[in-house]
Amino acid sequence: MKIPVLTYHANNITGNEYQTNDLVALKQDLRLFDELDMTIISSHILVQWLKQEINLDKSKNYLVLTFDDGTELDFWDWQHPYQGFQKSAYTLMKEFQTATRRYIHATSFVIASPEVRATLEKTCLAGHKIWGDAWWQEAENSSIMSIENHSWDHVHETIEHVYQKDNIKGDFSVIDTQEEAKQQIVEASKYINSKIKNKSVSLFAYPYGDINDFLTENFLQNHENGIAGAFTCVPQHTYQDTHRWKIPRYVCGADWKNINELRTILQS
Ligand SMILES: [Zn+2]
């Protein structure tokens, strides 16, 4: 049995076509999941399966949905200044649930640092204030979304000082000491937990999908750091013996660009 994990970036909006708007793509993809009779499970269930804590029904075709970077478009609709009204990923999921009566769930991997998100609003989103964290609690309460960890600062290229000893940006594989990983992962989890009642972050998505042996074989394997599973961007399916801290994912726009390419992935 093998399970694909899909990733979307809800703020990828340069038009209103499948190729230019991840939310338009998601809306069409949801119909495909229904047509192909896919069974959506949460990323937490996937990790429990990898830990051999649960069994899954071999006769079903499972699928996991994730969103990266955690702008408010994951949860709240938004009037885009140029591209018009955008239904959020959450709204699209609710509509799918109402229309099909199918279970749906997605994990939003969010950037923790509020200062970094405020800067990213300026450097990546033309100053639009849609990278807040006021939606996290509501999303978690919705029971169809979970908030998990996408690092402290994403070692993002546009941040002046990132939490990396040589201020190297745009590559998460350079996070290779206890101190850096503590800030990027453990402190990020702490911040997210502080914003959501009774939350205990347990999943991580590597910025840019970048990994190294220190993170996957050492740091994350220490259960005190609280991470039970971590997601890369290697375009492959997940098997039950997949490394729990190297879970592969397909990325919308990079690994599939239209519904037929996604169909090929899902049926492979
Ligand atoms: Zn990211």
Side-chain angles (χ1 to χ4, degrees):
M1 189 156 77
K2 54 181 186 173
I3 302 176
V5 183
L6 305 183
T7 310
Y8 299 82
H9 295 81
N11 60 317
N12 273 358
I13 299 175
T14 56
N16 284 299
E17 306 293 324
Y18 194 106
Q19 287 83 356
T20 55
N21 186 321
D22 273 24
L23 291 167
V24 171
L26 175 65
K27 185 177 179 180
Q28 293 187 31
D29 296 350
L30 287 168
R31 274 189 235 130
L32 179 66
F33 307 153
D34 186 40
E35 180 200 319
L36 297 179
D37 195 23
M38 308 287 300
T39 299
I40 297 168
I41 55 171
S42 72
S43 49
H44 307 79
I45 292 290
L46 180 80
V47 169
Q48 282 182 23
W49 177 65
L50 295 178
K51 290 168 84 175
Q52 317 249 1
E53 291 174 355
I54 56 163
N55 291 314
L56 292 174
D57 182 345
K58 287 187 177 62
S59 68
K60 290 186 173 168
N61 291 316
Y62 292 101
L63 169 72
V64 174
L65 291 178
T66 66
F67 307 132
D68 271 13
D69 300 340
T71 56
E72 293 170 12
L73 281 163
D74 282 4
F75 194 69
W76 284 328
D77 301 341
W78 186 46
Q79 185 67 39
H80 191 290
Y82 310 116
Q83 308 302 341
F85 182 75
Q86 306 292 325
K87 283 183 185 174
S88 72
Y90 171 78
T91 298
L92 296 173
M93 287 164 53
K94 284 299 277 186
E95 288 179 355
F96 168 86
Q97 191 184 44
T98 303
T100 65
R101 298 275 138 216
R102 287 180 183 274
Y103 176 80
I104 189 160
H105 189 278
T107 299
S108 276
F109 289 102
V110 302
I111 298 169
S113 165
E115 292 79 20
V116 165
R117 283 184 277 107
T119 302
L120 294 176
E121 286 172 343
K122 293 184 199 130
T123 58
C124 301
L125 294 176
H128 301 301
K129 298 209 166 300
I130 55 166
W131 224 317
D133 50 39
W135 60 280
W136 293 357
Q137 177 75 63
E138 223 183 306
E140 189 83 23
N141 289 350
S142 77
S143 82
I144 66 168
M145 281 182 95
S146 287
I147 304 296
E148 296 290 342
N149 184 344
H150 194 36
S151 86
W152 179 253
D153 62 22
H154 208 287
V155 290
H156 199 277
E157 292 97 333
T158 65
I159 300 299
E160 197 175 340
H161 297 289
V162 295
Y163 213 96
Q164 197 281 333
K165 57 186 180 305
D166 303 313
N167 204 30
I168 295 174
K169 303 166 192 179
D171 179 0
F172 200 75
S173 72
V174 295
I175 300 299
D176 58 2
T177 63
Q178 283 288 335
E179 199 202 337
E180 293 163 298
K182 264 217 148 77
Q183 183 66 32
Q184 291 290 358
I185 299 171
V186 178
E187 291 303 315
S189 290
K190 271 190 204 161
Y191 181 84
I192 295 165
N193 289 339
S194 78
K195 291 286 169 183
I196 305 171
K197 231 179 249 160
N198 302 323
K199 177 70 185 176
S200 181
V201 163
S202 64
L203 302 176
F204 183 70
Y206 302 95
Y208 316 105
D210 295 336
I211 60 170
N212 62 38
D213 285 352
F214 168 72
L215 293 171
T216 63
E217 310 308 318
N218 179 337
F219 190 81
L220 292 176
Q221 303 229 4
N222 178 353
H223 69 91
E224 282 176 16
N225 293 323
I227 301 297
F231 293 78
T232 70
C233 301
V234 177
Q236 290 171 359
H237 283 56
T238 298
Y239 297 80
Q240 201 167 11
D241 61 358
T242 293
H243 193 304
R244 218 164 9 112
W245 290 280
K246 293 185 200 174
I247 302 170
R249 295 189 296 173
Y250 296 92
V251 180
C252 180
D255 300 314
W256 81 92
K257 291 181 175 59
N258 56 58
I259 201 96
N260 289 328
E261 289 181 6
L262 179 61
R263 186 188 293 270
T264 302
I265 290 171
L266 296 178
Q267 294 184 320
S268 68

